[in-house]
Amino acid sequence: MISRLLRSPQAGLSLVILIAAIGLALTAGSHVDPATGNNVNNFLNAHTLFQMATDASGFAIMAVGATIVIISGGIDLSAGAVYALAGVVMAMVLRAVGPLDPVLTVALGLGTCIVVSLACGIANGVMVVGLQVHPFIITLGTMWIVRGIAFVASHAESILVPPALTHVAKASLGLNPTLSPVPLLAMLGVGTLGSIYLTRTVMGRHIFAVGGNAEASRFAGLPVQRIRLGVFVLSGLTAGAAAFLGASFYGSATSSDANGYELYVIASAVVGGASLTGGKGSAVSAMLGAMLIVLIRQAIRTLHLDQNYEWIIIGGAMIVAVVLDQGGTKLVARRVAAAAGRNPTSSMPPAPESK
Amino acid sequence: MASPAVRFSGVTKRYPGVVALNGVSFEVAAASCHAVCGENGAGKSTLGKLLSGIDRPDGGAIEIDGRPVRFASPAEALTAGVAMVHQELASCANLSVAENLCLGAMPSRWTFVDRAAMRARAIELLVDIGSEIDVTKPMSTLSVAEQQLVQIASAVGSGARIIVFDEPTSSLSEGEAARLYALVRRLTARGTTLIYVSHRMPEIFRLSDHVTVLRDGEHVATRATTELDESELVQLMIGRKLDQYFPSHVGAAPREELLSVRGLSSPGKFYDISFSLRAGEVLGLAGLIGAGRSEIAKALFGLDPNVTGQLRLDGKPVQIRSARDAMRLGIGLVPEDRKVEGLVLSMSGRENVTLPVLDRVSTRSWIRSSEERAVAQKYFERLRVKVASADAPASGLSGGNQQKLVLARWIAAGSKILILNEPTRGVDVGAKAELHAWIDQLASEGHAILLISSELPELLHLATRIIVLRQGRVAGEVARESADQESLLRMMAGLDAAAHPPASTRARA
């Protein structure tokens, strides 16, 4: 079991995160909790950890969608904008209908987010497939268009969402009332679903095939265009889910929400080992990638480093992570090649005997 | 005769699984045109690659003007005066003729391109070889022959003394051939040495002073062209007793007709193709590169949107608009290039085999893992795919095993009609024999097989009938009993139909 874990593709990244977390815990120092009088580690305490999970949840959920697109050989730059539009439209719809039963409010909110993000995803996919334009360009365009729609629709105001939503998103689920495990659970849930989708279903397998070799997939009779369209729908949906969670948790939505998230999201997927040439990636790894980025941000705060350096550090760390991952891939490839050289696979075996 | 411009001594080149050249030695006289010919896979293109610095020999030596050379790159070869004229690769299609000709040494004034000087230089280079192509035209608007001329001009202008012509993939018109002929005379007259890699008889006899024949990577003969006639040359190229290489296969008696093709056409690719394919038979499709063989295979598999014509399957008219349609109708295609069209190299062998049949091992899109493994394992064993694990990536497998994966995929899919496009290209001898036995066995199990191959012996021994294509049309059909390599080769090249120059004009004393 342990050896299987060690050999899993996530082993390297998990180890890096673990080491970074231990290092941070050891150097973070501690403070006295005024409520209990206990001495607590500045990093390793329930409150900070849940806070980090909440920070990570938004783009970790979207990173699962981004990874699916990247595995298919595409890219989606519009995720952050879709997040903003879904949040804004949900807030406006809920404000327009006025007070409702809490369950209805949550259902209507979630439904609105899903409808909006689904529409954006379909628009992206239809344009990429129908216009035969590279997804980078299409989603760069829709990124501005969608955020622009959110801006115009909301008049650039911050719109409050009903407290019913916040109650759900901040529910303590029986833990200490100051802790909010819902974003963490949502993140783990989406990661698990994404992982199962990619590794256990026919559609998931088709996505890997199209990203690995679209031409060969066409020759194997796969509906390549439909698969290419579908991944954008999924990416849109994860943005909608993240928007519902985010707007509910923070209690409001504006057109500038999740600004720049598209790049955090792609960075998470890439740090998680997804290849921009397609055919390679993992939903769980993308989530781990998101966690690593959040961990770095947290380290800057916990260690009282100058926050102005945040972007420089994250940028550098991302490049280092990808280079390390590539080095590891090459090493594995060389080992495989060496093993193949030792036992050549071709000899002169007998032909099928039944004649 | 002058001292040799190029001397190959014992040149050997191995590619994974294949010995492309085995101890080849011969000399190329300076200021002559030297043809290198042989069947597909004889090693003639490899020779050109070694001389022009694209690849490096594993053994033996290449001398130029008496000095041994070993080029690390085409640029290095060019510096030494060796240039390669490659049909489609070596130009930037988006740039103009003038820009292409001056690419290496762009005339400039204060870092700005001096357009007038560039055009003047380009015209100068073209006039030098007697061509009047408009230098402002984009390269992409030129005919193949014109592009070839531009490359020759570029090679001559760069001071190349030895020019290697790689195998032309499309034939030249009568006028173009005449111009090329004049140009070759002009170049050799001023001391340039030409090496012409081809298997096209008419051009070889019109252009060359000497011919070197290669066969299976071995040097067979080097003769003065005037000492040979066409049938002698064909004999030298074929040379062997076929039975030594290909054990005879016994096809089963053909049964009912599975597929009927009537008037299949795709503009620019092939025209008015008709044939019928029966269960239990292997129908061969022969033709030179560019004759339309692969295009027909793709069209039958639903990958050509412009195709017209009638298809009947089991007597019923059908439409095949996509690969999915073809699959549903029980047609499988093993494509020409297994790495580009056949396999997803980043996926495992198992995943590659089950790719088109996933819906059969899944419930509502949920893949039943153990069942998928069982299916893959079954065909791995049946076809004797040799891998350490079915989960190993397909990229690490040998050519023969990779090809078996693609074949296994369609057998697993239950395809009744199998279109095999160059199924044994680039696989080693052992795997080749195995694949041949498989083709035979699949036919006897009642599959209908359309076999496309550039290797005539393969067709002659596996196919029940052979259809010969030439320039997109059916040139003829021969039964196995009455077919031989020479007649097929003649039919493919259009030798019987097209008038070739009489001996008096092609012979040059």
Side-chain angles (χ1 to χ4, degrees), chain B residues 379-453:
Chain B
Y379 290 99
F380 270 57
E381 276 164 23
R382 237 194 118 184
L383 286 180
R384 295 170 197 276
V385 182
K386 284 169 290 296
V387 282
S389 145
D391 293 334
S395 55
L397 301 184
S398 70
N401 281 319
Q402 287 186 341
Q403 200 67 319
K404 285 186 202 167
L405 289 184
V406 188
L407 188 58
R409 168 192 292 176
W410 295 119
I411 302 176
S415 306
K416 287 294 287 176
I417 297 170
L418 292 170
I419 305 170
L420 312 179
N421 195 354
E422 304 284 4
T424 63
R425 175 179 287 174
V427 310
D428 60 53
V429 184
K432 198 173 204 167
E434 256 189 294
L435 283 164
H436 284 166
W438 265 109
I439 293 169
D440 220 30
Q441 168 151 2
L442 289 168
S444 62
E445 283 171 7
H447 288 85
I449 292 170
L450 185 63
L451 174 67
I452 299 172
S453 177

Side-chain angles (χ1 to χ4, degrees), chain B residues 149-183:
Chain B
L149 283 178
V150 172
Q151 289 191 32
I152 296 169
S154 163
V156 172
S158 67
R161 291 167 297 116
I162 298 164
I163 302 178
V164 183
F165 283 70
D166 193 22
E167 185 162 24
T169 53
S170 63
S171 38
L172 303 172
S173 74
E174 198 50 41
E176 289 166 342
R179 274 197 293 276
L180 185 62
Y181 178 61
L183 176 57

Side-chain angles (χ1 to χ4, degrees), chain B residues 17-34:
Chain B
V18 198
V19 180
L21 287 176
N22 190 9
V24 169
S25 306
F26 69 97
E27 293 176 356
V28 178
S32 72
C33 178
H34 195 116

Side-chain angles (χ1 to χ4, degrees), chain A residues 68-341:
Chain A
I68 293 173
V69 176
I70 289 172
I71 290 171
S72 81
I75 191 130
D76 185 359
L77 293 172
S78 69
V82 173
Y83 178 112
L85 183 65
V88 162
V89 172
M90 173 181 82
M92 287 172 65
V93 165
L94 291 176
R95 183 174 66 181
V97 298
L100 287 173
D101 171 70
V103 176
L104 258 178
T105 309
V106 171
L108 184 59
L110 186 60
T112 311
C113 278
I114 287 174
V115 168
V116 170
S117 59
L118 204 61
C120 293
I122 291 172
N124 275 331
V126 165
M127 280 196 278
V128 166
V129 169
L131 304 178
Q132 308 262 327
V133 176
H134 194 280
F136 185 96
I137 296 161
I138 293 291
T139 59
L140 183 65
T142 55
M143 172 182 99
W144 284 323
I145 293 170
V146 167
R147 197 173 287 280
I149 295 172
F151 183 82
V152 171
S154 67
H155 304 291
E157 298 168 13
S158 176
I159 305 166
L160 295 177
V161 302
L165 294 181
T166 314
H167 289 151
V168 170
K170 287 198 162 172
S172 63
L173 302 180
L175 295 176
N176 182 328
T178 59
L179 300 177
S180 320
V182 171
L184 172 68
L185 292 175
M187 171 171 81
L188 294 178
V190 171
T192 310
L193 279 179
S195 186
I196 290 173
Y197 178 81
L198 282 172
T199 57
R200 293 272 180 266
T201 70
V202 174
M203 291 93 77
R205 182 73 60 79
H206 282 176
I207 291 167
F208 275 100
V210 168
N213 186 346
E215 191 66 4
S217 301
R218 203 162 66 97
F219 274 79
L222 304 195
V224 174
Q225 305 293 57
R226 211 187 307 157
I227 295 163
R228 284 204 166 127
L229 196 158
V231 295
F232 286 97
V233 176
L234 290 173
S235 174
L237 277 178
T238 57
F244 174 75
L245 192 69
S248 301
F249 192 90
Y250 297 109
S252 69
T254 82
S255 61
S256 61
D257 280 344
N259 213 349
Y261 265 35
E262 50 280 337
L263 296 183
Y264 270 129
V265 159
I266 292 167
S268 304
V270 170
V271 168
S275 158
L276 287 180
T277 51
K280 186 170 167 268
S282 138
V284 174
S285 296
M287 268 181 26
L288 290 175
M291 283 183 202
L292 184 62
I293 291 175
V294 171
L295 187 66
I296 292 167
R297 285 210 312 211
Q298 185 61 41
I300 294 165
R301 280 177 218 149
T302 307
L303 300 177
H304 303 296
L305 300 177
D306 188 341
Q307 292 213 6
N308 296 319
Y309 290 99
E310 180 177 314
W311 284 341
I312 299 176
I313 295 169
I314 289 178
M318 195 203 78
I319 292 175
V320 169
V322 171
V323 170
L324 283 180
D325 184 53
Q326 263 182 7
T329 311
K330 275 189 201 140
L331 204 71
V332 170
R334 221 173 298 150
R335 251 186 246 156
V336 168

